[in-house]
Amino acid sequence: MTQYLAAFVVGGLFALVGQLLFDLTNLSPGHVLSGFTALGGILAGLGLYDPLIKFAGAGATMPISSFGNSLAKGAIMEASKDGVVGVLTGMFELTSAGITAAIVIGFLASLVFNPKA
Amino acid sequence: MSTNQQVSPEQRRYQALAKKHTPKPPVLRHAVAAFIAGGLVSVVGQFLTNLYARLLHLTPDKAGNPAVATMILIGALLTGFGVYDRLARLAGAGLAVPVTGFANSIVAEALEFKREGLIYGVGGRMFTLAGAVIVYGVVTAFFVGLFKALVK
Amino acid sequence: MASGATLRARPAPRRIGKQTVQFENPPAIIATGTVVGPLEGKGPLGHLFDHVTEDELVGQKSFERAEQMMLQNAAYTALNKAGLTPEDMDYMLSGDLLNQLITSSFSALAVGVPVFGLYGACATSAEGLGLGAMLLDGGFANYVMVATASHNRTAERQYRYPNEYGFQRKPHAQRTATAAGAAILARSGEGPRVTIATTGKVVDRGIKDPYNVGAAMAPAAASTILTHLQDTGRRPQDYDLIATGDLALYGHRLLVELGRTEGGIDLEPVLDDCGLMLYGQDQEVGAGASGSGCSAAVTFASILKDMRDGRYKRVLVAATGALHSPCSFQQGEYIPTICHAVSLEV
């Protein structure tokens, strides 16, 4: 139960910060979400995102910052084995499930659905 | 966005006047709605993560992948049925920040431009919005990884 | 040199003031046709429009096609009501919001009338009425059709986001109306007359936010309305109604304030806005309506009817347009805006 509570609060806080950026600045959704993703990558570099996932579970894996974290983590992991080349080969190591799912599902959805009249 | 234009005193005066007459968004109501929606999405994600961990005998770490993929599917379906934009009007960032929002941006583009054909419409437009997220995620990760590889 | 001097010695006979022309034989608006979308049909003016579509697609394969069908339908409705055929039309003046005016061109292709394409964004209705009246009063035509349309779904995907994208509208955002209007202007005939036209200058007062077009356009409205009053020697109270075309709630308030501060006049008693008339307060459309079809449909269906019914004798339609493109605002440019005004009288 505490696991779900932590997920709810942390996931909610990510959204809350995003909302405040939408409402209190002139940043567009594109700016804010790109920023979140970049932030996830930076937190991964500082070794902070994994502890957050340990604490909040899906509260940290569901926000888009998790995508940035996974990209960076993949790059760092391969880099520790293969050096600089690993940065290139490891980039999509952990995110390929999400990206593949997004592309395939997006494509299939466009075949099935139409924009609402 | 470039901000290198000259602003005349007349423009500056009007900008101030327009600002006075432009309504503020209901920040508190939006914030509460975003918090609850973002929290609920994460709770669903947690439930899926636990479910996959149990069913597929995965570590919680690994179970996150199918959970994310499932959330993308859910986001895509809600977009296809024309529900996601309505919910997001209420939930704001609560449905923009989670990966379901990423799926929504991809499917919304693909649907909207399918009438321009499968190549330039669906294929070309799919990442019009989501592309920025991927680009800045990858560029950040590249430099973070490079730094780690060189500095270690 | 001599001919230049002669030209200067003979001022254009129908020009008054800086930006205004007064017609010798004011053309009459003899018939109109209006078609609106489902949400507009549920609004307070819903019963006044000739056709209300069942959905936004109107049985077509794309929203762009739907917009064209609505404009053609409005044109044919106006022709039917006037008892005229496309062959009777000397010119069609048509504009819309879509890139390269595709709605206007495909509709003109279908109707088959010689056409001038206009781009005045949401100011197209008044721009067309003014130019059409010039063609008629100048003796270049007997009948001119003025037509314009906008469509919520086509505008959303061109200017903003795909329709199914989930984002929160700002409270000052306006909704592009799904609406088409056509009017037939004639040298002679029954109907409210276009007596005076004031052409607007492009105005930029430093507003960048493409969701805040009402605020961006209010200075253009102020500029054209004040110039019109100066050129004609009229006062606001000489009009029963000054109808701006889609400043919506916050732009409307800004115009009232600009009238006071910049013109020293109180426009409020006679001022209303097409963007505020189209939707009801419970329709959740933000600050109000926008789109070139908005001022056309409201003017042609509601204001002209009130004039024929004797409720108004003299109305100034001051349609406002935001002339930015997705390219210009992404490059950080301010929003250029315009307002054209025509005086309608019975």
Side-chain angles (χ1 to χ4, degrees):
Chain A
M1 206 53 222
T2 49
Q3 192 189 24
Y4 282 103
L5 189 68
F8 180 84
V9 172
V10 172
L13 283 176
F14 269 106
L16 179 74
V17 172
Q19 187 65 46
L20 293 178
L21 290 171
F22 285 174
D23 281 351
L24 301 179
T25 72
N26 286 327
L27 298 173
S28 72
H31 287 87
V32 171
L33 299 178
S34 300
F36 267 68
T37 313
L39 180 74
I42 292 167
L43 290 179
L46 297 173
L48 295 176
Y49 210 93
D50 271 346
L52 188 64
I53 293 177
K54 197 144 276 163
F55 170 69
T61 56
M62 287 305 133
I64 195 69
S65 46
S66 153
F67 179 60
N69 168 61
S70 300
L71 288 170
K73 231 172 93 182
I76 294 167
M77 269 166 42
E78 285 292 288
S80 67
K81 278 190 279 172
D82 300 342
V84 176
V85 177
V87 178
L88 301 176
T89 55
M91 182 67 75
F92 293 101
E93 182 97 9
L94 302 172
T95 51
S96 69
I99 293 182
T100 309
I103 293 176
V104 173
I105 292 168
F107 175 72
L108 293 177
S110 76
L111 297 186
V112 177
F113 297 107
N114 283 312
K116 269 271 189 299
Chain B
M1 269 187 240
S2 76
T3 45
N4 52 3
Q5 285 142 301
Q6 294 283 320
V7 187
S8 71
E10 195 187 25
Q11 286 177 325
R12 204 181 302 278
R13 263 202 313 281
Y14 186 69
Q15 284 169 342
L17 181 67
K19 199 168 176 192
K20 200 183 87 186
H21 279 272
T22 301
K24 301 270 175 300
V27 178
L28 187 66
R29 205 187 69 209
H30 278 177
V32 170
F35 180 77
I36 292 173
L40 286 178
V41 172
S42 293
V43 166
V44 174
Q46 188 64 53
F47 172 78
L48 289 171
T49 309
N50 293 351
L51 186 73
Y52 285 125
R54 201 144 27 103
L55 289 182
L56 307 174
H57 308 291
L58 297 171
T59 60
D61 218 24
K62 284 255 161 30
N65 277 334
V68 164
T70 309
M71 293 304 277
I72 286 175
L73 179 65
I74 293 172
L77 289 176
L78 290 176
T79 306
F81 287 116
V83 181
Y84 205 91
D85 60 324
R86 278 158 213 236
L87 295 175
R89 219 166 287 165
L90 301 173
L95 286 182
V97 171
V99 284
T100 48
F102 184 71
N104 166 250
S105 72
I106 290 172
V107 175
E109 286 283 357
L111 282 193
E112 188 66 63
F113 290 93
K114 70 185 277 196
R115 287 172 183 135
E116 277 87 327
L118 286 175
I119 300 300
Y120 294 105
V122 174
R125 295 280 193 158
M126 195 179 267
F127 287 96
T128 306
L129 292 164
V133 165
I134 296 178
V135 168
Y136 290 104
V138 169
V139 171
T140 307
F142 176 79
F143 285 109
V144 167
L146 198 64
F147 182 79
K148 288 272 183 181
L150 296 177
V151 173
K152 170 182 61 164
Chain C
M1 292 302 275
S3 68
T6 336
L7 272 179
R8 235 171 277 128
R10 289 180 51 223
R14 273 160 269 189
R15 281 199 79 81
I16 52 170
K18 285 184 292 186
Q19 290 165 234
T20 304
V21 294
Q22 184 161 26
F23 302 111
E24 243 168 56
N25 299 300
I29 303 173
I30 57 169
T32 61
T34 49
V35 183
V36 300
L39 193 70
E40 292 72 15
K42 288 193 193 86
L45 306 180
H47 60 289
L48 297 175
F49 302 115
D50 295 309
H51 303 284
V52 177
T53 67
E54 253 171 54
D55 61 24
E56 301 277 354
L57 204 52
V58 208
Q60 299 297 308
K61 66 171 189 176
S62 68
F63 295 128
E64 284 73 13
R65 277 280 183 103
E67 184 176 335
Q68 291 155 26
M69 285 313 292
M70 291 175 67
L71 188 57
Q72 288 166 39
N73 194 354
Y76 286 125
T77 303
L79 285 169
N80 284 341
K81 284 207 248 171
L84 296 168
T85 65
E87 285 72 46
D88 297 315
M89 294 296 113
D90 299 303
Y91 294 108
M92 179 170 172
L93 302 177
S94 185
D96 58 87
L97 293 176
L98 300 189
N99 293 335
Q100 285 78 37
L101 298 182
I102 51 170
T103 307
S104 292
S105 296
F106 284 112
S107 300
L109 174 71
V111 180
V113 174
V115 66
F116 288 115
L118 305 183
Y119 190 74
C122 316
T124 307
S125 57
E127 182 179 0
L129 289 175
L131 274 173
M134 289 185 205
L135 287 172
L136 290 159
D137 194 38
F140 301 106
N142 291 309
Y143 293 105
V144 173
M145 177 183 286
V146 174
T148 182
S150 57
H151 192 294
N152 177 264
R153 302 296 199 269
T154 62
E156 284 295 318
R157 67 201 291 256
Q158 176 176 303
Y159 284 98
R160 294 175 272 269
Y161 293 111
N163 286 295
E164 301 301 336
Y165 182 55
F167 76 109
Q168 234 161 11
R169 265 157 246 274
K170 304 272 184 200
H172 53 264
Q174 293 169 231
R175 182 183 198 275
T176 305
T178 300
I184 295 173
L185 282 168
R187 290 187 78 184
S188 57
E190 290 296 306
R193 294 180 179 276
V194 183
T195 55
I196 295 176
T198 301
T199 306
K201 288 182 181 173
V202 174
V203 173
D204 153 28
R205 286 286 190 87
I207 301 298
K208 216 176 247 186
D209 177 3
Y211 293 98
N212 208 0
V213 285
M217 296 189 296
S223 158
T224 299
I225 292 171
L226 294 177
T227 305
H228 172 86
L229 296 175
Q230 204 172 33
D231 287 352
T232 56
R234 289 180 176 175
R235 299 160 304 165
Q237 56 267 37
D238 291 328
Y239 286 101
D240 301 313
L241 170 71
I242 297 179
T244 48
D246 37 58
L247 297 178
L249 192 53
Y250 307 102
H252 177 74
R253 289 182 190 161
L254 278 161
L255 175 58
V256 170
E257 186 148 345
L258 287 173
R260 285 202 190 103
T261 55
E262 301 197 350
I265 52 167
D266 188 13
L267 292 168
E268 202 165 7
V270 291
L271 196 65
D272 205 341
D273 182 71
C274 296
L276 292 172
M277 299 183 218
L278 187 61
Y279 298 117
Q281 298 208 320
D282 54 343
Q283 287 190 295
E284 293 184 8
V285 289
S290 67
S292 38
C294 169
S295 62
V298 171
T299 304
F300 297 166
S302 172
I303 295 173
L304 289 178
K305 180 181 183 296
D306 284 343
M307 295 188 81
R308 283 192 301 268
D309 294 351
R311 198 176 144 212
Y312 301 133
K313 292 244 167 308
R314 193 190 265 176
V315 173
L316 187 71
V317 174
T320 53
L323 305 175
H324 64 296
S325 76
C327 163
S328 76
F329 81 73
Q330 278 174 359
Q331 292 182 349
E333 304 291 348
Y334 294 133
I335 299 174
T337 61
I338 199 158
C339 171
H340 297 297
V342 284
S343 170
L344 307 178
E345 296 175 40
V346 284

